[in-house]
Amino acid sequence: MDVVSPDLNSILPDEIMDTEAMAMEEDPPAETPAQSSHSAPEPAQVPMETEVPEIVSLCPATTPMQKTEALTTLTATDSTLCVSTGTQLVVTSSSSTGPKMATGPSAVTTTQPNSPVVGQSIAKLSSPFTPTSPANHQLIINKVAADGKSPGTTLLKQEGQKLLVTGLSKMGQPIVLALPNTWSKPATSQGTGVDMKPQPTQFKVVSAGTKPVIGVQAVSSASQLLGSSSPLQAQQLKTVQITKKTPVSTAGPMITKLIITKALNNKGLTSQATVTPMVTGRVLTQSTPVTPPRTITIGETISTTPQSLSSSSSSKMAISPLKSPNKVTVAAQPPNSPQKPVAVPLNVALGQQILTMQQTPCTSPAKAGSSQSTAQTVKPVQAVTVGGVNTPQFKTIIPLATPPNVQQIQVPGSRFHYVRLVTATTGNAVQTVNTSTTSNPTTIQPAKPMVMNTAAVRMSVPIVPAQTVKQVVPKPMTSAAQVMSSSQTQQRLIMPAAPLPQIQPNLTNLPPGTVLAPAPGSGNMGYAVLPAQYVTQLQQSTFVTLASSSGFSTPSSIQSQARLPLNGLSPSETTSRPRKPCNCTKSQCLKLYCDCFANGEFCNNCNCVNCFNNLDHEGDRLKAIKACLDRNPVAFKPKIGKGKEGESERRHSKGCNCKKSGCLKNYCECYEAKIMCSSICKCVGCKNFEESPERKTLMHLADAAEVRVQQQTAAKTKLSSQISDLLTRTAPAISSSGGKLPYTFVTKEVAEATCDCLLEQARKAERCNQPQAMAERLILEEFGHCLRRIISSAAKAKTDCSINC
DNA sequence: GAGTTTGAAACT
DNA sequence: CAGTTTCAAACTC
C-alpha cells in the first residue's frame, strides 16, 4: 500500500509514483534471487521537511526469537516523531526487493538486523536520494535539508556495538543514533546468509527536551525472512510508531502519530514460493474546528516466503506533510488477524493529502486472488486520497468482489439524491469504519480483512474542506484497486456498481459515475465513480453515513473528503460558486462540450435537453466516457495543472488556441482559469501575459467590479436584514413609558412610501443620464432622508406622549 | 432574450 | 496531423 503525499508528488522519484515501475522494480529477475535479497534496488528517498531529532537512540528488541509481535503499547511518549509543520513523511516497508520505507527530510533508516547490507543494518540518516541499503523491510526516515544539502545531511556510522548517526538538523544540532550492542550482529549475519533466525528489533528514537522528537520503534525483524527458511518465521511483525509532537500552543497540543505495523507471514519454506501481499487499508479522516488529531490506519498483510520476498511484495507509504495534529496508524498484519474498525481522525482541512496505492506483484487484485488462497488473495482495496494543498481531487475507491446491486439512497443536502452502492454476494470483507475525533491516538488496527456477509455498509464520511490543494496525478496503475488523485475540483467516490466489462479505462482519468469493469478473474469486481457533490454537499454535517442494506465487500472502508479545486479554482470558490448548469441541446450532455460531463459530473438542475448524463442512462454515459477516453486518455483530467518543474504557477495543460479574443475573454480557457498563457499555448495575438497592459487593465477592472458587487451585495443583505428585522420584530410596540417604539413607525405604508421615494430618485438619475454611481448615491441619500424623517417622527411622537402622560 | 462570436471538441 | 464541422459558452445588442 502506498500513501503518497500530494506535496511529495512533485518530488517523489518516478519509481515511487509510478506504480508500474514499482511493480517492475519489485519483480526482480527470477534468476537472481540471491542478489535481490542482498542487494535490493536502492530506494529513492524522498526529501521531506522534518526536523531532525537531536538525539536518536536505538534500542534492541527484547527477544531475538520474537516472531509476531504487534506493537500496540507504544505511546506518544516512548516513541515519538516530531515533524515540523509541512513535514512530509514517506514511510515504506520494503519487501525483499528493496527498502520500501522512506521519509522525507530527517530520515532514519532502520535496517533489520539481518539486513543483507553489512554495516548499514541498523539505521541511517542520509541526505535526499541517498542510496540506502538494500536491506529488506527497511524503515527509512530521510532527513533532507530545505535545500537538500548539507544542513540536513547526516551521516551514518556504525561503531562496533553502536550505530551513530551524525549530522546536523536544521537548527544545526547534531543527530545521534545510539545503537545498542545487541544490534550490530544481525546485519552481518544477514550478509552471510547464515543463521537467519528472527532478530527482534526494537527501535526507540527519542529526543529529550522540548524539541521535536523522532521516535521509531520496530519490533521484530521482518527482514530476517529474506533468504531464511526457518519455520520459526511464521509471522513477523514490524511496527513503527512515529509520533509527532509540536510545540504546545495555546490552542492545544498538536500531535501527529504514525504507527506502522507490518506483518509478514512467512509460510512457505521453499524458494519457489510466491508472494501474495495482502493489503488492506483503511483511512479515515475527520477533522474538527480545533484541529483534532488525525489518525490513519492502514493494515497491510503480506504473506510471503523467503523467496517471495525477493520477488515482490513491497509496500510504500508516504504521508503528506502534517500541518496539524495528525495521527497515522499503518498496520500490516497477517491475513487472519482480526480487523477492527479503527477510528482515524484526519484533519483534512489543513491541506493534508494522503494517497494510498496498492502495490502488488500482480497486475490486478484479481490475478493475485486467483493465484493465491482466499486468505492470501489480494483483496479489493479501499483507498482515499485526501486533498491537501492544491490537491485537485479526492477520490475514494471501493472495490467490490461481487456484482453490486445499485441502490439509491437519499442523501440529505446532496445535489444527487442517490448513491449507488453495491451489494457483495460473496463473503468478502465488509468493513465498517468509524471515525471519531476522540479516537485513541495509539489505536492500532489489525489488518485482517473482515468478512461481513450481507452486512450493512456504513461509511462515515467526515467532510472537511481542505485549505489548499496540490495536484497529484499518479500514473496509471495496473491494479484495479487504486487510489486516484487528480487535480479536479470535485470530490468523488468510486463505489461499487454494476460491472461493465467492456470498459476498463484508466482509473485516473475516469469521471465520477463511471463503472469500472471488473478485472479478469477478479470476481466481478466493479467500481462506480459517483459524483462528488453528493458528498460535498453533505459537508454540512460532520459525517455522512451511507448505508446499504446488502453491503458490499471491501477489506476496509475509507472515507474522507476534501474540497478540491476545479480547474484552478480554490475549494472555496468552487464551493461557494457552484458550477453553472449546462444548456446542452444536441450533445445529450455526453460529450465534452458539456461542462458537467467534462467535469465528470452528472447533470443536475441543468437546462439541457435530452440529457443522458445521469444514472438513468448510465450505459450510454459509460460508452461516451469510453469514447472520450479513447480519443483523449486524459480527457477527464483537469486542464489546469502545475507547470514545469520549479514553476509554481498553474498553467493550462494543453494551452489555448485563441485567435481573436486576445486571450482576454472567457473564451480563452487560460484566461477563464485566471492564469496566464504559457509557452505551450498556440494563441494568436495573445495579451494574456504578465506584462500585458491590457491584461492588467482588465484585471483591475475585474477586481474593481468584483469588489463593487461584493459591497453592493453586502449592503443589500444588511439593509434587507435590517428592514426585515424592523418589520417583523415582535417586540412590544409600546415602550415601558407607554410611548410607541421607533420601529413601530415603519409601517407598511411608510415602507412603501420610502420605496417610492427611492424609486423616484432612481428614475430621476436615469432621466438625467446620471452614472450608476451617482444614481446609487442619490438613492442612498434619499434613503437617509427617509430614515431621518421616520426617526424624527418617532421622536416627536415619543415627546408628545411624554408630555401628555 | 435573441443573435453573434468564439474556441474547444468532434469529426473527416 | 490538418482542416472542417459541431457545439455550447461567452458575449453583444
Side-chain angles (χ1 to χ4, degrees):
Chain A
M1 174 177 293
D2 294 343
V3 177
V4 179
S5 165
D7 291 339
L8 288 174
N9 196 23
S10 59
I11 57 176
L12 282 174
D14 291 340
E15 56 267 31
I16 290 179
M17 296 307 299
D18 188 349
T19 57
E20 292 180 356
M22 293 169 66
M24 294 178 64
E25 175 183 337
E26 294 177 357
D27 231 344
E31 61 274 14
T32 59
Q35 181 180 0
S36 63
S37 63
H38 293 285
S39 63
E42 293 180 354
Q45 296 181 358
V46 179
M48 62 182 295
E49 294 179 358
T50 304
E51 293 183 4
V52 177
E54 293 177 348
I55 298 174
V56 177
S57 66
L58 299 177
C59 298
T62 57
T63 61
M65 296 302 293
Q66 187 174 1
K67 294 180 181 178
T68 300
E69 178 176 354
L71 178 60
T72 59
T73 59
L74 292 177
T75 62
T77 57
D78 57 3
S79 172
T80 60
L81 169 62
C82 282
V83 180
S84 62
T85 300
T87 297
Q88 295 178 347
L89 290 178
V90 176
V91 181
T92 301
S93 62
S94 66
S95 66
S96 62
T97 57
K100 296 301 181 183
M101 175 169 283
T103 63
S106 179
V108 175
T109 300
T110 59
T111 303
Q112 294 300 319
N114 58 355
S115 171
V117 174
V118 177
Q120 291 181 341
S121 61
I122 303 302
K124 181 177 183 179
L125 293 177
S126 62
S127 60
F129 301 105
T130 299
T132 61
S133 67
N136 295 298
H137 310 295
Q138 291 180 350
L139 296 179
I140 302 169
I141 300 174
N142 192 13
K143 166 68 176 68
V144 177
D147 58 354
K149 293 184 179 179
S150 59
T153 300
T154 59
L155 297 176
L156 177 63
K157 295 179 180 179
Q158 183 174 1
E159 297 177 356
Q161 297 301 316
K162 293 182 179 179
L163 179 64
L164 299 179
V165 179
T166 61
L168 294 177
S169 65
K170 288 183 176 179
M171 296 176 289
Q173 296 166 341
I175 301 169
V176 177
L177 266 178
L179 177 63
N181 296 334
T182 60
W183 251 40
S184 60
K185 292 181 179 179
T188 57
S189 64
Q190 176 66 31
T192 58
V194 177
D195 187 10
M196 304 300 291
K197 293 179 180 179
Q199 298 291 332
T201 302
Q202 190 172 33
F203 301 80
K204 284 186 178 180
V205 182
V206 177
S207 68
T210 60
K211 297 191 175 180
V213 176
I214 289 178
V216 176
Q217 181 170 1
V219 177
S220 80
S221 59
S223 63
Q224 296 170 352
L225 296 175
L226 294 175
S228 174
S229 61
S230 174
L232 297 176
Q233 299 172 350
Q235 288 182 343
Q236 293 181 349
L237 183 65
K238 179 169 65 179
T239 301
V240 175
Q241 177 174 355
I242 302 171
T243 301
K244 172 186 176 182
K245 285 186 177 180
T246 58
V248 177
S249 63
T250 56
M254 297 175 68
I255 298 173
T256 299
K257 179 177 287 187
L258 171 62
I259 301 172
I260 300 171
T261 301
K262 180 177 181 179
L264 297 177
N265 185 5
N266 195 9
K267 293 180 179 178
L269 296 176
T270 62
S271 63
Q272 299 300 323
T274 59
V275 175
T276 302
M278 174 178 290
V279 178
T280 60
R282 271 188 254 173
V283 176
L284 294 179
T285 64
Q286 178 176 0
S287 69
T288 62
V290 294
T291 64
R294 290 172 291 183
T295 299
I296 298 173
T297 300
I298 300 171
E300 177 179 2
T301 301
I302 298 174
S303 175
T304 182
T305 64
Q307 178 63 32
S308 64
L309 288 174
S310 63
S311 62
S312 64
S313 174
S314 68
S315 62
K316 293 181 179 179
M317 173 175 288
I319 298 172
S320 64
L322 303 178
K323 295 180 180 180
S324 68
N326 279 344
K327 185 174 188 178
V328 177
T329 300
V330 179
Q333 296 181 352
N336 293 330
S337 65
Q339 188 172 13
K340 297 178 181 179
V342 173
V344 184
L346 175 64
N347 190 343
V348 181
L350 294 179
Q352 293 182 347
Q353 180 173 6
I354 296 173
L355 173 61
T356 303
M357 293 179 288
Q358 178 182 5
Q359 180 179 0
T360 67
C362 300
T363 58
S364 68
K367 291 181 179 178
S370 61
S371 63
Q372 297 296 329
S373 63
T374 303
Q376 294 178 346
T377 299
V378 174
K379 300 294 184 180
V381 173
Q382 218 173 7
V384 172
T385 59
V386 179
V389 175
N390 293 333
T391 300
Q393 184 171 355
F394 181 100
K395 295 182 179 179
T396 299
I397 301 173
I398 304 173
L400 290 179
T402 62
N405 292 331
V406 177
Q407 297 181 356
Q408 290 190 353
I409 298 174
Q410 287 289 337
V411 181
S414 173
R415 282 175 58 186
F416 301 98
H417 299 283
Y418 43 71
V419 173
R420 294 176 70 85
L421 297 177
V422 179
T423 300
T425 58
T426 62
N428 281 332
V430 174
Q431 212 167 0
T432 300
V433 176
N434 295 325
T435 60
S436 173
T437 56
T438 59
S439 64
N440 185 354
T442 60
T443 299
I444 296 176
Q445 173 178 349
K448 177 185 177 182
M450 295 177 63
V451 176
M452 296 171 66
N453 292 332
T454 68
V457 176
R458 295 180 58 189
M459 295 182 295
S460 297
V461 183
I463 298 169
V464 178
Q467 287 181 341
T468 57
V469 180
K470 181 170 289 186
Q471 181 176 4
V472 174
V473 182
K475 295 180 180 179
M477 302 177 186
T478 56
S479 174
Q482 309 178 17
V483 174
M484 300 188 299
S485 177
S486 63
S487 349
Q488 293 188 3
T489 308
Q490 297 298 330
Q491 306 168 9
R492 297 168 185 176
L493 288 178
I494 300 174
M495 305 183 70
L500 192 66
Q502 68 273 20
I503 297 177
Q504 185 89 18
N506 184 344
L507 289 174
T508 60
N509 299 327
L510 284 176
T514 301
V515 175
L516 302 180
S522 63
N524 293 330
M525 292 177 61
Y527 306 87
V529 184
L530 293 180
Q533 291 87 340
Y534 97 91
V535 173
T536 303
Q537 297 175 357
L538 290 174
Q539 294 180 352
Q540 298 170 355
S541 60
T542 302
F543 288 90
V544 175
T545 299
L546 305 177
S548 172
S549 60
S550 59
F552 57 88
S553 71
T554 61
S556 64
S557 50
I558 304 167
Q559 296 297 328
S560 117
Q561 294 296 327
R563 293 183 181 179
L564 304 170
L566 173 59
N567 285 344
L569 295 179
S570 66
S572 60
E573 287 175 314
T574 57
T575 302
S576 60
R577 223 188 306 165
R579 185 187 47 76
K580 290 181 179 180
C582 71
N583 300 297
C584 307
T585 57
K586 299 180 180 179
S587 66
Q588 295 177 325
C589 297
L590 291 183
K591 292 189 177 181
L592 294 177
Y593 300 127
C594 176
D595 282 352
C596 302
F597 181 78
N599 287 324
E601 302 169 11
F602 291 127
C603 287
N604 186 267
N605 295 327
C606 293
N607 303 318
C608 42
V609 178
N610 195 22
C611 179
F612 277 41
N613 186 26
N614 50 51
L615 283 177
D616 293 337
H617 301 84
E618 188 170 288
D620 294 330
R621 185 175 185 270
L622 291 170
K623 291 178 182 177
I625 291 171
K626 184 176 184 299
C628 288
L629 290 174
D630 290 340
R631 285 189 294 265
N632 179 14
V634 296
F636 294 100
K637 282 189 175 180
K639 294 178 180 177
I640 307 302
K642 192 176 180 180
K644 294 179 180 178
E645 190 70 19
E647 295 180 1
S648 60
E649 295 293 334
R650 296 175 299 116
R651 74 170 189 175
H652 198 285
S653 59
K654 291 171 56 182
C656 67
N657 299 294
C658 306
K659 293 178 175 58
K660 297 181 179 179
S661 66
C663 298
L664 290 182
K665 292 187 177 180
N666 282 335
Y667 297 126
C668 175
E669 292 189 349
C670 297
Y671 181 82
E672 186 180 26
K674 294 182 172 61
I675 60 176
M676 284 172 288
C677 291
S678 63
S679 58
I680 60 174
C681 292
K682 306 173 189 66
C683 43
V684 177
C686 179
K687 298 175 182 176
N688 185 25
F689 54 91
E690 180 68 34
E691 302 301 328
S692 170
E694 292 89 347
R695 174 184 164 277
K696 289 182 178 178
T697 302
L698 212 55
M699 296 302 289
H700 291 159
L701 291 174
D703 291 342
E706 186 175 358
V707 170
R708 189 166 183 166
V709 168
Q710 290 176 352
Q711 291 176 343
Q712 290 178 349
T713 302
K716 289 178 182 177
T717 302
K718 185 177 180 180
L719 184 61
S720 175
S721 175
Q722 291 174 343
I723 293 175
S724 175
D725 184 55
L726 283 172
L727 296 178
T728 60
R729 191 178 296 182
T730 58
I734 305 299
S735 67
S736 59
S737 61
K740 294 177 67 178
L741 294 176
Y743 70 84
T744 59
F745 291 89
V746 187
T747 61
K748 181 180 179 181
E749 292 74 15
V750 172
E752 290 178 350
T754 301
C755 291
D756 290 339
C757 294
L758 300 181
L759 289 173
E760 180 57 27
Q761 289 298 321
R763 296 191 192 98
K764 180 180 178 181
E766 193 175 20
R767 284 195 300 269
C768 299
N769 293 327
Q770 297 280 9
Q772 184 178 356
M774 181 59 68
E776 292 175 354
R777 181 174 180 176
L778 292 173
I779 294 171
L780 289 176
E781 287 177 348
E782 180 61 24
F783 183 70
H785 295 158
C786 293
L787 285 179
R788 277 197 292 270
R789 273 176 277 177
I790 294 172
I791 294 172
S792 176
S793 299
K796 183 180 179 180
K798 185 176 182 180
T799 302
D800 295 342
C801 179
S802 299
I803 294 174
N804 294 332
C805 294

